[in-house]
Amino acid sequence: MSENNLLVKGRLSNQVYPISYNLSIKPNFKDNTFEGKVIITIEFKNYELTKFGIHMKDLIIYDGIIKFDDRLVDIEIYTHEELLVIHTFESLKNTQHVLTIYYSGKIRQDLMGFYRASSEIYSTQFEPADARSVFPCFDEPNFKAEFNLILENIPSDMTVLSNADILSVQTETETKTKTHKFMTTPIMSTYLVAFVIGNIKYREIMSRYRKRIRIYGTQQYIGKMDFALDVASRALTWYENFFSYQYPMDKLDLIGIPNFGAGAMENFGLITFRESGLFCDQGTELNKKQEICQVICHEIDHQWFGNIVTMDWWKYLWLNESMATYFQWHVTNVLFPDWNIFDKFIDDEFKHALSLDSLETSHPIEVDVDSVKDLNQIFDGISYSKGSCLIRFLFNYLKEDNFRNGMVDYIRTYAYQNTTSEHLWKAFNRVTGKNISELMNSWIKQTGYPVVEISSKNNLILFTQNKFLKSGPNTYNTLWLIPLNVYVDTFDYNLEMNSKTLLSEFRSNNFIVVNPDRIGFYRVNYDIITFDINVMSSKIQKNIFDDMFALALSGYCSLTKVFKLFRELDFKKEFYNYNYNLLNTILTNLTLIYKLLDVNPELQSSFKLFIEKNILSHLLRTMIVLGWNVRVNDTNDILNFRPLVINFLGLLENTNTINTALERFNENKFKYNLQIVGDNASELEYKKMKQLLNSNDPHIRDEIVKALGNVKNKILIDDVINNTLFDKLEKQDIWITMKSLYMNKYA
């Protein structure tokens, strides 16, 4: 218990909970303040104390204007704990009461709470725990309630959005302002409450089931909304069909915010985005369109996973984020099957998760967290990427029908309630009759993942599992329940491994590949290699090389072993066929090794010669054939392959590639070259990059903020740090340039 006797492990009592909020906010945009009034209907259940607490942060309570029912009450404010304590002077066992609070606060500048996003837009961002900075409330996810919002004193030329649709608008003629009253929301958590005020425009479409979908943004983006409209409409319909549960509101708004700290936010009925995550046109690069589609699908999934069914506490954040991250790929694949988007999943989610979870500082997916000050630490690649890999595994393990039936059972059973991991597993247990809890808890509750070694014993294949760490072989005795998918000659086999070793019936001279599609979340170390790398599919080639590079760099095998396989590869064929899957993995790992050798220039130079001897001719031939410009008949592989080759040639400091990149940049051609421009910028290019921070294309701005941190000239680096970082960059972008600077050896 805390000193005020009201918090248990940082959380409020579950015997006191809200039923509904009536909230009025009256902003003053001249001095960036607001006045508020909140009326909370509260239920008390077997509550013995004569005081209770709710959350409040950075708000000023008007003297003497807190009422409990119709009488004034005493209060205490615990600033450090963000707690407002109300004294009732009577125990409240099974009763319902009304709490009324008048208060004021400040419109913030830090992209949290109620903040000023630009001169045109004011927005909110409450996740994980900033609703309390806009109104006193029960600011924990398991205190779900209805919300009735009124926004007052809004200039008549501004548009106002919130979770629910507008119920009425009242005009104040003298002040040229309006009061907007919104419909009652579904029962939801405080972190999902949202409103946006600004000079914005929209395009709209009706979904198949008559839901009104609008894309909002400032005037400059009105012509860049069609793709998002199409994706949102089709994705919403797909989710309604897949979950057999209708989206509960008549409208869904998606809006691009000029300054937005997250990638996007799933507020119920009003999803907020970075502008680059929502707007595009026909000239936008394929990979950017893919990202936009994924972000939209991610946030729409949250309308079910997170909004309708909500985690009981942030410990179960992964229930929201893992599911939404997996489905952003799944639904994108449904909407655009020619993209082969799950190939990209391996690079963006699977490999990222393997890298993070191989650190000794990693944490379980399901991790205890008590203090709200620690919440942001779990919004990471473990909750998102590793979680999505495990959901992908479960989807394939159960097959689509069983998985879908489990989802339907889960949503129908727990709609508008709060859940833990066990609720999800029990839904799958009911549908499949299998012990999904035991299987998944092996992966959810433990840190890290295994490496499965393939060796020979008595002419049979022996499987051995050990914990994989980037720091190298270790003595941990952690065991996982591993469903092994083994490709033997021309047949697929599924085994279960729940011990340190498993001796199979497969012969050591069989053609054997383990985890060929990377469905299982583990690495594979081939102590014996019985396959021919050149007769495999590009996906299997990619997976084998990625594991072998990671194992070599962590001391589980030698780099000599990797480069022996590397030299066996028919690079002429792979480049000629634009095998993006495989070559992206190889070039990415070669780049990693090359940069690690920055500490040893002589060895780095030798490694560069090794690369040039083996693949430079293929790289240069590819550039001659493909050129820099997009062509009408370019396949998706070619669209991805071209920038891969260009940037790798830039890494090798190929003079012609660098000069062409700089020439095109100075001719206002920005496709594929901004990374190289950043690496090789003179003062002339640097000044132009700074000017492009004002570009109307959010994707160019995104690339520029990365490129600025890559400059090599010390004078330019000093200017980035002393003049550009905090004076020229939007708040949302500062961390991106900081990350580039951190990874820049010259900085």
Side-chain angles (χ1 to χ4, degrees):
M1 289 257 183
S2 69
E3 60 180 304
N4 52 58
N5 207 36
L6 291 175
L7 294 179
V8 179
K9 291 188 176 181
R11 298 180 62 181
L12 299 174
S13 168
N14 60 10
Q15 295 170 309
V16 184
Y17 50 90
I19 303 297
S20 67
Y21 293 82
N22 288 290
L23 175 63
S24 297
I25 302 289
K26 184 179 181 180
N28 183 333
F29 297 129
K30 292 180 180 179
D31 63 4
N32 285 322
T33 63
F34 63 89
E35 296 178 345
K37 174 187 176 184
V38 64
I39 302 172
I40 315 174
T41 301
I42 303 172
E43 185 87 24
F44 294 82
K45 190 172 184 178
N46 300 320
Y47 193 68
E48 302 291 342
L49 300 179
T50 61
K51 60 182 178 179
F52 67 95
I54 62 175
H55 294 111
M56 187 181 80
K57 175 183 176 182
D58 300 332
L59 299 175
I60 298 172
I61 302 293
Y62 291 152
D63 289 341
I65 316 184
I66 288 192
K67 290 185 178 181
F68 190 69
D69 294 333
D70 292 324
R71 55 191 171 85
L72 298 176
V73 291
D74 292 342
I75 63 169
E76 295 175 89
I77 297 174
Y78 293 85
T79 303
H80 178 72
E81 293 171 308
E82 299 175 356
L83 196 67
L84 170 65
V85 176
I86 293 95
H87 290 263
T88 64
F89 303 110
E90 60 178 306
S91 60
L92 306 157
K93 291 189 176 180
N94 290 291
T95 53
Q96 196 172 103
H97 298 267
V98 175
L99 178 67
T100 304
I101 304 174
Y102 293 81
Y103 62 95
S104 64
K106 292 184 178 180
I107 298 173
R108 293 162 63 171
Q109 308 292 323
D110 61 357
L111 314 187
M112 296 300 295
F114 178 24
Y115 72 95
R116 181 180 180 179
S118 71
S119 59
E120 295 183 284
I121 294 181
Y122 294 80
S123 182
T124 58
Q125 171 60 32
F126 289 166
E127 190 182 36
D130 264 297
R132 65 189 68 181
S133 70
V134 178
F135 59 102
C137 58
F138 295 78
D139 201 13
E140 296 174 13
N142 65 338
F143 291 114
K144 301 177 80 166
E146 294 179 340
F147 291 83
N148 299 280
L149 175 66
I150 296 175
L151 290 172
E152 305 177 63
N153 196 43
I154 308 301
S156 296
D157 60 345
M158 284 187 166
T159 299
V160 181
L161 305 174
S162 188
N163 305 93
D165 231 337
I166 289 178
L167 180 64
S168 65
V169 179
Q170 180 179 335
T171 301
E172 307 294 337
T173 307
E174 290 185 10
T175 59
K176 295 182 180 179
T177 62
K178 293 182 178 180
T179 295
H180 299 256
K181 185 175 183 180
F182 292 86
M183 295 178 180
T184 303
T185 70
I187 296 170
M188 64 183 192
S189 304
T190 49
Y191 77 90
L192 296 169
V193 176
F195 53 88
V196 177
I197 305 164
N199 294 309
I200 48 179
K201 306 295 181 183
Y202 70 87
R203 299 282 300 277
E204 79 173 34
I205 194 172
M206 297 299 291
S207 75
R208 180 177 176 183
Y209 298 120
R210 306 303 297 167
K211 308 293 185 182
R212 190 196 75 213
I213 300 173
R214 286 180 176 174
I215 309 297
Y216 283 88
T218 53
Q219 176 66 45
Q220 63 184 319
Y221 296 117
I222 196 69
K224 298 176 181 284
M225 298 178 177
D226 288 347
F227 181 74
L229 267 180
D230 174 64
V231 169
S233 174
R234 292 200 286 151
L236 185 68
T237 298
W238 187 90
Y239 281 118
E240 288 184 311
N241 288 330
F242 188 83
F243 293 141
S244 292
Y245 198 101
Q246 290 288 297
Y247 172 70
M249 289 194 251
D250 293 329
K251 68 94 176 177
L252 177 62
D253 296 328
L254 299 83
I255 180 169
I257 304 294
N259 237 321
F260 195 72
M265 178 60 208
E266 66 266 23
N267 314 298
F268 219 158
L270 175 58
I271 306 175
T272 44
F273 294 78
R274 281 188 174 226
E275 292 170 328
S276 59
L278 190 61
F279 304 125
C280 67
D281 55 29
Q282 289 185 341
T284 302
E285 292 178 34
L286 174 64
N287 68 318
K288 301 299 182 185
K289 285 187 175 180
Q290 290 173 337
E291 289 170 7
I292 288 170
C293 183
Q294 289 170 243
V295 174
I296 292 172
C297 292
H298 181 109
E299 303 308 329
I300 292 179
D301 175 89
H302 273 313
Q303 305 304 301
W304 284 265
F305 264 84
N307 299 10
I308 293 175
V309 182
T310 310
M311 73 235 159
D312 181 70
W313 178 242
W314 298 104
K315 173 180 180 178
Y316 307 105
L317 171 70
W318 82 272
L319 281 175
N320 286 12
E321 299 303 346
S322 299
M323 199 67 70
T325 303
Y326 169 74
F327 272 104
Q328 76 181 47
W329 296 90
H330 184 100
V331 181
T332 296
N333 189 56
V334 171
L335 301 184
F336 300 96
D338 60 312
W339 284 354
N340 297 316
I341 200 69
F342 271 108
D343 293 344
K344 196 166 183 282
F345 175 93
I346 299 300
D347 293 323
D348 290 8
E349 307 292 358
F350 194 91
K351 288 166 64 174
H352 177 57
L354 288 176
S355 178
L356 280 179
D357 210 28
S358 64
L359 300 173
E360 296 202 47
T361 52
S362 184
H363 62 80
I365 285 182
E366 190 174 291
V367 58
D368 288 325
V369 55
D370 295 329
S371 171
V372 296
K373 294 176 175 60
D374 296 330
L375 292 181
N376 284 319
Q377 295 183 44
I378 61 171
F379 284 79
D380 63 3
I382 300 300
S383 297
Y384 287 71
S385 296
K386 181 181 179 181
S388 69
C389 293
L390 296 182
I391 296 300
R392 173 174 173 259
F393 154 74
L394 187 60
F395 186 97
N396 284 271
Y397 179 78
L398 295 178
K399 309 306 179 189
E400 182 169 347
D401 285 348
N402 278 332
F403 185 88
R404 178 177 180 269
N405 291 336
M407 294 286 91
V408 170
D409 180 284
Y410 175 78
I411 291 171
R412 287 180 177 174
T413 303
Y414 303 112
Y416 300 104
Q417 299 179 47
N418 294 83
T419 59
T420 67
S421 303
E422 286 305 313
H423 292 103
L424 181 60
W425 305 148
K426 286 176 181 177
F428 284 120
N429 292 346
R430 287 192 294 268
V431 166
T432 65
K434 298 180 179 180
N435 190 345
I436 303 303
S437 306
E438 180 184 11
L439 171 64
M440 295 307 293
N441 283 336
S442 166
W443 299 90
I444 298 297
K445 295 181 181 293
Q446 295 189 131
T447 303
Y449 59 89
V451 52
V452 176
E453 184 175 279
I454 315 302
S455 59
S456 174
K457 182 178 181 181
N458 301 327
N459 294 321
L460 299 176
I461 291 295
L462 177 69
F463 301 101
T464 306
Q465 66 163 300
N466 291 290
K467 184 171 184 175
F468 178 82
L469 287 174
K470 196 170 285 189
S471 55
N474 56 83
T475 58
Y476 285 96
N477 293 316
T478 313
L479 291 178
W480 285 265
L481 179 55
I482 310 174
L484 289 174
N485 179 227
V486 185
Y487 183 78
V488 183
D489 295 333
T490 58
F491 298 97
D492 267 322
Y493 296 89
N494 291 301
L495 311 176
E496 294 235 333
M497 185 178 185
N498 57 7
S499 57
K500 181 77 170 178
T501 60
L502 174 66
L503 186 63
S504 73
E505 297 180 359
F506 308 131
R507 310 297 297 182
S508 57
N509 61 350
N510 286 128
F511 182 107
I512 290 178
V513 176
V514 179
N515 201 21
D517 295 320
R518 279 199 149 170
I519 299 299
F521 191 71
Y522 54 89
R523 291 198 182 278
V524 181
N525 187 5
Y526 294 94
D527 188 50
I528 57 169
I529 294 178
T530 62
F531 49 74
D532 179 354
I533 195 69
N534 287 301
V535 302
M536 294 177 166
S537 71
S538 63
K539 290 181 182 179
I540 295 177
Q541 290 175 324
K542 166 197 182 85
N543 299 340
I544 289 173
F545 268 106
D546 186 65
D547 274 343
M548 290 187 71
F549 272 114
L551 290 161
L553 290 171
S554 301
Y556 288 82
C557 71
S558 68
L559 271 171
T560 303
K561 181 178 179 180
V562 183
F563 288 127
K564 179 179 182 296
L565 196 65
F566 176 87
R567 283 190 291 268
E568 291 175 7
L569 197 63
D570 185 350
F571 277 108
K572 182 178 180 180
K573 181 185 78 171
E574 305 304 344
F575 273 91
Y576 182 81
N577 291 324
Y578 307 120
N579 188 347
Y580 176 78
N581 250 338
L582 170 64
L583 293 172
N584 178 49
T585 291
I586 289 178
L587 297 186
T588 299
N589 279 289
L590 292 177
T591 299
L592 173 62
I593 296 171
Y594 185 81
K595 289 184 176 180
L596 287 172
L597 294 175
D598 278 344
V599 295
N600 190 327
E602 185 177 343
L603 190 55
Q604 187 180 59
S605 179
S606 298
F607 185 61
K608 180 180 176 182
L609 289 174
F610 168 79
I611 295 172
E612 291 175 341
K613 178 181 177 181
N614 283 277
I615 62 173
L616 181 60
S617 62
H618 304 299
L619 291 163
L620 295 174
R621 175 197 165 276
T622 300
M623 279 310 302
I624 292 171
V625 173
L626 292 184
W628 284 72
N629 296 315
V630 175
R631 300 171 304 190
V632 175
N633 62 343
D634 279 348
T635 64
N636 291 332
D637 272 348
I638 288 176
L639 290 172
N640 288 320
F641 200 68
R642 184 182 286 111
L644 174 70
V645 172
I646 288 172
N647 286 316
F648 194 76
L649 284 169
L651 175 79
L652 296 178
E653 299 178 321
N654 178 262
T655 303
N656 184 55
T657 303
I658 293 171
N659 289 340
T660 303
L662 294 174
E663 286 171 11
R664 289 173 63 86
F665 179 73
N666 289 312
E667 293 170 0
N668 296 320
K669 298 175 182 177
F670 307 129
K671 188 160 287 192
Y672 304 143
N673 61 355
L674 292 178
Q675 179 177 320
I676 296 177
V677 171
D679 290 342
N680 298 277
S682 67
E683 187 174 355
L684 176 67
E685 286 84 26
Y686 177 71
K687 286 181 178 178
K688 184 164 185 172
M689 282 197 290
K690 289 175 70 171
Q691 292 170 358
L692 284 169
L693 291 172
N694 299 316
S695 169
N696 287 333
D697 188 329
H699 305 290
I700 289 177
R701 292 201 305 268
D702 277 1
E703 293 302 315
I704 290 294
V705 297
K706 294 176 192 173
L708 283 169
N710 292 337
V711 294
K712 297 175 181 176
N713 182 290
K714 185 179 184 303
I715 295 174
L716 301 184
I717 291 171
D718 286 343
D719 189 75
V720 173
I721 294 171
N722 296 317
N723 299 318
T724 303
L725 258 183
F726 299 104
D727 293 338
K728 304 294 184 183
L729 295 182
E730 299 285 6
K731 288 186 175 67
Q732 68 172 13
D733 296 327
I734 291 172
W735 71 271
I736 299 173
T737 303
M738 290 281 284
K739 181 179 178 182
S740 293
L741 286 167
Y742 175 76
M743 298 174 71
N744 179 354
K745 67 177 181 180
Y746 298 96

